[in-house]
Amino acid sequence: MTELSKELTDMLETLGSHGKDPAGGVSRFLYTKEWVAAQKYLEKEMLDEGLDVHFDEIGNLFGTLKGSKYPNETILSGSHVDTVGNGGYYDGQFGIVAAFIAIKHLKAKYGQPLRNIEVVSMAEEEGSRFPYSFWGSKNIVGIAKNDDVRDITDFDGVPFVEAMNKAGFDFRDDTKGMREDFKAFVEIHNEQGNVLEAEQKSVGVVHSIVGQRRFNIELSGQANHAGTTPMGYRKDSVFAASQMISEIISAARKHGDPLVATVGKIEVTPNVVNVVPGNTLFTLDIRHTEKDALLQFTEEVNEILNRLAKEHQVGLNIDMWMDEDPVPMDKNIVDLMIKQCEENGLNYKLMHSGAGHDSQIFAPKIPTAMIFVPSRDGISHNPAEYTEPADLAEGVKALMGALYELAYKE
């Protein structure tokens, strides 16, 4: 293992200890004590490296290596510090660790940059604790609306505002826009798929991020006695849901790549063995690289849901709580990264991202690009998530090359 690989894995291990799950992964949700501990650890590391460090109002953490010639221009890099439940050691936190170590090595080798280089540990991206995603990056670019989260609660009924205040943070003034000094954002992330591994590439240069829509779909039937209610008289919400899910997934398979559709959660009420289920809620996640295809498939899904709800005589409520368009990365930075990969002999691939990332929030506002490193067996959001240390190091080399071009050159 090289010195750079060891430095990366050691810091990932330490950061991952904050929120370590008994099942072997990491569970670090927004504004929990584990989340606070992780941010405090990163704050200390940044201060020890001599960076200028501060939190913003809602808990995003920044560490800045000041520029000598253009102090009003900032190149930003980093990712999110929160995790999914029982997630891995790479999703999100690798992007923070990589940006910090990249800045550390650039400083040691080249000294002060012309422009500021800033590492950011973003408060939240996953939407794992509260039904809201990208709280960190949306606040940074000035598009978060406080009213969207003011009345929401987590899975234990804890209000968002209460959790935020207890962690020591509060709302920003959402009438203000983003900082004017940002000139570029570069995020490095594990791929969360198996393309790079299958093609034996160490680095992915991302040209676009898929759009995605997420739904809560609730069916209201009639709870009734399982023994005395004939099959023909039932309003069985689970039976209706099962047929809806089957048709939706079959339709997605028929469309083929890059369309994907996932039902990841099902809740049944009353959820007992001898009662016809009266209510069923299931989630649906749809993704595609083209907006028109995403809209077309959504229409197809709506037709399936409404047709089968009528057929089964169940009430239907469709709540689309996420609607994110596909996002292209900045061509100039993508070309710059390709040049860096080729000049430094890095084994890379130009590709799209099938997962959502903070970069899609930044891209409409400032020039943005992404770098991927491989995920073993394509596994992510799982304790088995893993990237070879050598690939971690190759990704950081690509990141350092990009940050050097953006911050050290005229």
Side-chain angles (χ1 to χ4, degrees), residues 271-285:
N271 200 29
V272 293
V273 67
N274 59 349
V275 178
V276 177
N279 291 82
T280 299
L281 180 145
F282 65 92
T283 62
L284 177 63
D285 180 308

Side-chain angles (χ1 to χ4, degrees), residues 11-313:
M11 191 170 180
L12 284 168
E13 186 72 25
T14 304
L15 181 53
S17 69
H18 299 291
K20 190 169 184 178
D21 195 289
V26 184
S27 294
R28 190 167 57 230
F29 303 134
L30 176 65
Y31 297 140
T32 60
K33 65 180 187 298
E34 295 84 7
W35 178 94
V36 171
Q39 290 290 64
K40 290 296 184 182
Y41 160 71
L42 290 167
E43 179 187 33
K44 184 179 184 303
E45 290 294 306
M46 293 177 191
L47 288 168
D48 288 349
E49 186 55 33
L51 303 182
D52 290 347
V53 182
H54 76 279
F55 285 95
D56 68 8
E57 296 92 332
I58 64 103
N60 291 310
L61 172 64
F62 301 86
T64 310
L65 177 61
K66 289 289 188 179
S68 60
K69 188 172 181 180
Y70 305 107
N72 294 321
E73 297 183 7
T74 298
I75 309 302
L76 187 66
S77 185
S79 196
H80 59 96
V81 75
D82 69 312
T83 72
V84 298
N86 198 26
Y89 273 66
Y90 302 86
D91 182 359
Q93 73 171 28
F94 170 60
I96 302 165
V97 170
F100 172 73
I101 289 177
I103 291 173
K104 181 179 176 181
H105 281 250
L106 288 168
K107 177 186 172 186
K109 186 172 182 178
Y110 300 108
Q112 188 177 15
L114 297 179
R115 297 170 188 83
N116 306 324
I117 312 179
E118 192 164 85
V119 54
V120 58
S121 175
M122 281 177 271
E124 188 274 340
E125 183 252 27
E126 296 284 5
S128 295
R129 182 179 183 187
F130 298 97
Y132 187 97
S133 299
F134 302 108
W135 176 242
S137 52
K138 284 181 176 178
N139 271 276
I140 292 172
V141 303
I143 63 172
K145 298 300 181 187
N146 297 338
D147 285 345
D148 290 344
V149 298
R150 200 180 299 276
D151 297 322
I152 63 176
T153 60
D154 71 2
F155 33 72
D156 292 321
V158 178
F160 185 98
V161 177
E162 178 184 316
M164 178 172 62
N165 293 161
K166 187 176 180 180
F169 301 100
D170 207 341
F171 289 124
R172 66 182 286 276
D173 182 352
D174 63 4
T175 65
K176 294 182 179 179
M178 66 183 289
R179 283 166 42 186
E180 295 181 355
D181 58 304
F182 291 136
K183 298 302 175 185
F185 175 64
V186 182
E187 181 178 14
I188 186 169
H189 207 283
N190 58 320
E191 181 194 349
Q192 303 178 290
N194 62 356
V195 174
L196 291 175
E197 182 184 52
E199 299 190 18
Q200 298 184 321
K201 302 290 185 181
S202 294
V203 175
V205 176
V206 177
H207 59 72
S208 61
I209 298 175
V210 294
Q212 56 181 302
R213 288 181 160 191
R214 294 185 189 176
F215 303 81
N216 288 330
I217 299 163
E218 187 172 6
L219 306 179
S220 304
Q222 185 178 64
N224 217 329
H225 197 291
T228 63
T229 310
M231 299 302 289
Y233 296 157
R234 298 184 177 202
K235 296 179 180 178
D236 186 336
S237 65
V238 163
F239 185 32
S242 68
Q243 290 202 330
M244 291 172 178
I245 293 166
S246 178
E247 282 206 27
I248 290 168
I249 300 302
S250 295
R253 287 178 177 272
K254 185 177 179 181
H255 278 269
D257 295 336
L259 177 72
V260 291
T262 304
V263 173
K265 179 181 179 182
I266 302 174
E267 293 181 349
V268 179
T269 304
N271 200 29
V272 293
V273 67
N274 59 349
V275 178
V276 177
N279 291 82
T280 299
L281 180 145
F282 65 92
T283 62
L284 177 63
D285 180 308
I286 305 170
R287 309 187 189 202
H288 200 287
T289 55
E290 300 294 333
K291 183 176 180 178
D292 287 347
L294 192 61
L295 296 176
Q296 178 185 346
F297 190 71
T298 299
E299 291 179 4
E300 192 171 340
V301 165
N302 279 322
E303 187 279 325
I304 292 170
L305 293 172
N306 282 281
R307 171 171 48 81
L308 289 174
K310 184 178 180 180
E311 181 179 316
H312 288 271
Q313 300 181 63

Side-chain angles (χ1 to χ4, degrees), residues 366-381:
I366 60 174
T368 296
M370 285 198 78
I371 299 166
F372 277 165
V373 293
S375 296
R376 184 174 64 187
D377 297 328
I379 294 173
S380 187
H381 286 186

